[in-house]
């Protein structure tokens, strides 16, 4: 029997933001040639963005929802400067122009069969309800086993490991659980964009230290002068996105000494730890005196090419885990149960899996780096991750955003402008990032397009 309903469904609207577009007048007109420099981001939508909006229209009191006057965009002040992520925007443009996407860091190949089969089996076995908030026991144990094998540290899976919905949530839970309004947190630019946004939500004062090419070394004296009595934490990402830099033992030793001397925490994002190519990955928590003041964050996605599963974790001593878990409880509470079971199987993979993974990515890196050099880019060394940063200035574009506009529209390849990864966008205007987490055919096709169409 069909029951009458007094409710009407309102049309769902996708409201775009234009943080990326404001970097460049050229890029704005590239998206919407009819727009003028005087128009505001809330006064009109581009045809491309508008086409993604719902076209469903329902009536209420004889007025269609599409006739309702457009309202100003609304967002809390702490997030006003953070709009649609650059990764979403560039992936949308890749589809629009049929470009090969070497921008966003997700593989175009699938993860290993044994991990997927473990997830299927977990579903069939009925592991489909809420998991324990801080992780299913088998996964917590597997994380502890892997951490011991990688670092030599023995951690308590019940008291020192928290499973999260990807490393991005581990970052959020760590920051929101341990940072107070007004605390200073030091980040190394360029940095993963969620760092600044989450620190803003926590009310932190962000202090940025820029790593500069060609080697993106840590400017130790600047770091020493930046630390103050208000510094609560330093965020580290090694191997480093977007540059591919790996923090050296000397750099980490110095950071550790400064943290101990000044009673500062370290939040260490190590999602690319298995993609360390030319030097040993060192977890800062393994250095003397550092486990007690470090939160180590990692995930499944990068190592096992299963980025859509969003399984991550944070490892920390009990006194820090308490804050992480308090925030985690009110962010997601628990993470996908069958995927956690499968992640446990993944982390117990034989050593041969990790050896083969590294070998495959070294080959992919060679294809892209050699191709970019042949095209005419100045390519900076990538010792880890699956990213490489280049200097685009030989091709005469005004800045990184203008170059990426040209590359998508005229060449058919997507890169990421790095200026979005800096507090001061000028610091990144000469650099763009490519990813090589694609199959070899895709990488070669992108290189051939650039060789054919990219002009100095």
């Amino acid at each position: 029997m069909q029951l009458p309903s007094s409710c009407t469904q309102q049309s769902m609207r996708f409201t775009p933001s234009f943080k990326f577009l404001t970097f460049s007048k050229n890029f704005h007109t590239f998206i919407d040639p009819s727009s003028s420099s005087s128009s505001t981001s809330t006064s009109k939508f581009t045809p491309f963005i508008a086409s993604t909006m719902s076209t469903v229209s329902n009536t209420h009191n004889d007025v269609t929802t599409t006739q309702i006057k457009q309202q100003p965009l609304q967002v809390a002040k702490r997030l006003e400067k953070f709009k649609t992520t650059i990764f979403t925007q560039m992936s949308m443009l890749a589809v629009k122009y049929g470009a090969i996407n070497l921008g966003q860091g997700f593989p175009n190949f699938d993860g290993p069969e044994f991990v997927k089969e473990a997830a299927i089996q977990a579903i069939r076995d009925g592991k489909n309800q809420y998991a324990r908030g801080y992780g299913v026991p088998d996964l917590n144990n597997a994380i502890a086993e892997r951490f011991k094998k990688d670092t030599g540290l023995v951690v308590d899976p019940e008291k020192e490991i928290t499973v999260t919905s990807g490393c991005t949530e581990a970052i959020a839970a760590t920051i929101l659980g341990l940072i107070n309004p007004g605390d200073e947190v030091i980040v190394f630019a360029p940095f993963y964009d969620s760092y600044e946004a989450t620190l803003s939500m926590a009310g932190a004062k962000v202090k940025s230290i820029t790593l500069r090419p060609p080697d993106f070394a840590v400017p130790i004296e600047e770091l020493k002068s930046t630390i103050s009595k208000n510094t609560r934490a330093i965020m580290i990402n090694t191997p480093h996105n977007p540059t591919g830099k790996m923090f050296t033992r000397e750099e980490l030793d110095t950071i550790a000494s400064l943290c101990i001397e000044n009673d500062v925490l370290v939040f260490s994002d190590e999602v690319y730890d298995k993609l360390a190519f030319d030097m040993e990955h060192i977890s800062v928590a393994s250095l003397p005196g550092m486990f007690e003041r470090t939160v180590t964050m990692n995930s499944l996605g990068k190592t096992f090419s299963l980025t859509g599963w969003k399984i991550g974790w944070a490892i920390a001593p009990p006194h820090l885990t308490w804050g992480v878990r308090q925030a985690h409880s009110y962010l997601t509470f628990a993470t996908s149960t069958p995927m956690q079971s499968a992640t446990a199987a993944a982390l117990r993979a034989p050593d041969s899996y990790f050896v083969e993974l590294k070998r495959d990515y070294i080959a992919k890196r060679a294809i892209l780096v050699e191709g970019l050099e042949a095209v005419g880019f100045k390519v900076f060394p990538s010792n880890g991750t699956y990213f490489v940063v280049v200097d685009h200035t030989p091709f005469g574009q005004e800045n990184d955003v203008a170059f990426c506009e040209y590359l998508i529209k005229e060449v058919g390849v997507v890169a990421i402008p790095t200026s979005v990864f800096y507090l001061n966008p000028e610091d990144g205007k000469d650099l763009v990032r490519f990813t090589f987490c694609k199959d070899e055919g895709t990488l070669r096709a992108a290189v051939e397009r650039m060789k054919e169409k990219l002009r100095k």
Side-chain angles (χ1 to χ4, degrees):
M1 180 176 69
Q2 186 174 15
L3 298 175
S5 172
S6 61
C7 298
T8 58
Q9 178 186 8
Q10 298 293 307
S11 68
M12 297 180 63
R13 296 168 179 254
F14 168 72
T15 306
S17 58
F18 289 82
K19 175 185 178 184
F20 178 61
L21 304 186
T22 58
F23 278 103
S24 168
K25 182 187 302 182
N26 292 338
F27 197 76
H28 193 168
T29 56
F30 163 59
I31 298 291
D32 180 11
S34 67
S35 65
S36 67
S37 59
S38 61
S39 64
T40 65
S41 61
T42 58
S43 64
K44 66 183 296 182
F45 296 122
T46 68
F48 168 54
I49 296 293
S51 70
T52 68
M53 295 173 59
S54 170
T55 57
V56 176
S57 177
N58 293 290
T59 61
H60 183 69
N61 295 332
D62 298 322
V63 178
T64 64
T65 55
T66 54
Q67 292 174 330
I68 297 175
K69 183 178 180 181
Q70 182 181 315
Q71 299 296 312
L73 304 181
Q74 297 184 35
V75 65
K77 289 186 180 299
R78 62 183 174 273
L79 289 176
E80 279 182 335
K81 65 177 289 188
F82 305 104
K83 310 297 183 181
T84 304
T85 71
I86 188 65
F87 309 108
T88 298
Q89 294 175 18
M90 299 307 287
S91 292
M92 290 167 70
L93 290 174
V95 173
K96 177 178 172 66
Y97 286 94
I100 298 174
N101 192 349
L102 300 189
Q104 191 170 1
F106 58 85
N108 69 341
F109 45 85
D110 214 355
E113 289 298 319
F114 79 93
V115 184
K116 293 186 291 183
E117 287 300 322
I120 293 169
Q121 189 61 50
I123 293 170
R124 287 175 175 159
D125 289 345
K127 298 177 180 178
N128 300 307
Q129 307 308 321
Y130 288 131
R132 186 178 65 172
Y134 58 91
V136 300
D138 191 41
L139 177 54
N140 288 59
N141 289 332
I143 293 168
E145 293 163 11
R146 172 55 56 186
F147 198 59
K148 179 182 178 182
K149 192 168 188 176
D150 291 343
T151 68
L153 293 172
V154 177
V155 297
D156 186 334
E158 293 298 301
K159 298 179 180 179
E160 298 180 320
I161 294 173
T162 306
V163 175
T164 60
S165 296
C167 189
T168 299
E169 197 226 328
I171 293 165
T174 297
I175 291 172
L176 295 173
L178 295 172
I179 297 299
N180 289 308
D183 285 347
E184 293 179 357
V185 178
I186 296 172
V187 298
F188 294 102
F191 46 78
Y192 178 45
D193 60 350
S194 81
Y195 295 173
E196 185 189 1
T198 310
L199 288 167
S200 176
M201 284 188 267
K205 181 178 180 180
V206 182
K207 304 186 84 172
S208 176
I209 294 176
T210 298
L211 308 179
R212 302 186 185 280
D215 58 358
F216 300 97
V218 175
I220 297 300
E221 294 306 314
E222 183 179 354
L223 175 60
K224 290 178 180 179
S225 65
T226 301
I227 294 176
S228 75
K229 61 181 177 60
N230 296 318
T231 303
R232 170 67 167 162
I234 297 174
M235 294 203 68
I236 295 175
N237 176 210
T238 183
H240 182 256
N241 172 19
T243 67
K245 168 196 170 55
M246 294 189 63
F247 282 64
T248 66
R249 180 172 291 277
E250 292 72 22
E251 288 172 333
L252 291 174
D253 281 340
T254 301
I255 291 170
S257 296
L258 291 170
C259 288
I260 292 170
E261 177 184 346
N262 294 279
D263 192 23
V264 171
L265 303 178
V266 172
F267 302 154
S268 186
D269 176 353
E270 301 181 12
V271 294
Y272 300 99
D273 64 333
K274 295 297 182 291
L275 299 179
F277 306 128
D278 304 316
M279 61 180 70
E280 176 190 7
H281 168 73
I282 301 169
S283 182
V284 69
S286 68
L287 300 180
M290 286 306 294
F291 179 75
E292 65 196 54
R293 62 179 64 252
T294 300
V295 181
T296 304
M297 300 165 287
N298 211 321
S299 74
L300 169 84
K302 307 300 190 295
T303 302
F304 291 93
S305 303
L306 295 165
T307 58
W309 286 20
K310 297 298 288 181
I311 304 293
W313 53 88
I315 302 173
H319 67 282
L320 299 181
T321 290
W322 174 250
V324 175
R325 288 186 180 178
Q326 286 295 94
H328 166 67
S329 294
Y330 298 103
L331 287 170
T332 61
F333 174 67
T335 297
S336 171
T337 304
M339 300 311 183
Q340 288 193 57
S341 295
T343 301
L347 293 178
R348 294 182 175 119
D351 291 343
S352 58
Y353 172 82
F354 302 100
V355 172
E356 184 177 349
L357 176 78
K358 187 180 296 188
R359 183 179 67 242
D360 288 349
Y361 269 113
I362 288 174
K364 295 177 190 296
R365 179 184 63 168
I367 292 170
L368 183 59
V369 168
E370 291 169 10
L372 292 171
E373 290 175 339
V375 169
F377 289 101
K378 182 177 181 180
V379 182
F380 299 110
S382 173
N383 296 313
T385 75
Y386 42 51
F387 302 115
V388 60
V389 166
V390 304
D391 184 333
H392 68 81
T393 57
F395 298 96
Q397 296 296 322
E398 178 184 0
N399 54 42
D400 58 328
V401 177
F403 176 80
C404 287
E405 166 197 329
Y406 171 79
L407 192 67
I408 294 171
K409 187 177 181 180
E410 303 297 335
V411 181
V413 176
V414 179
I416 294 290
T418 68
S419 55
V420 298
F421 303 133
Y422 294 81
L423 289 186
N424 177 13
E426 282 293 304
D427 288 343
K429 67 182 178 64
D430 293 340
L431 307 176
V432 298
R433 187 196 79 178
F434 291 93
T435 184
F436 50 90
C437 60
K438 312 295 178 182
D439 63 73
E440 293 188 4
T442 298
L443 295 172
R444 294 185 191 280
V447 168
E448 287 306 309
R449 284 192 183 187
M450 289 187 280
K451 284 181 178 179
E452 178 184 349
K453 299 180 180 180
L454 195 54
R455 296 288 180 264
K456 292 185 178 180

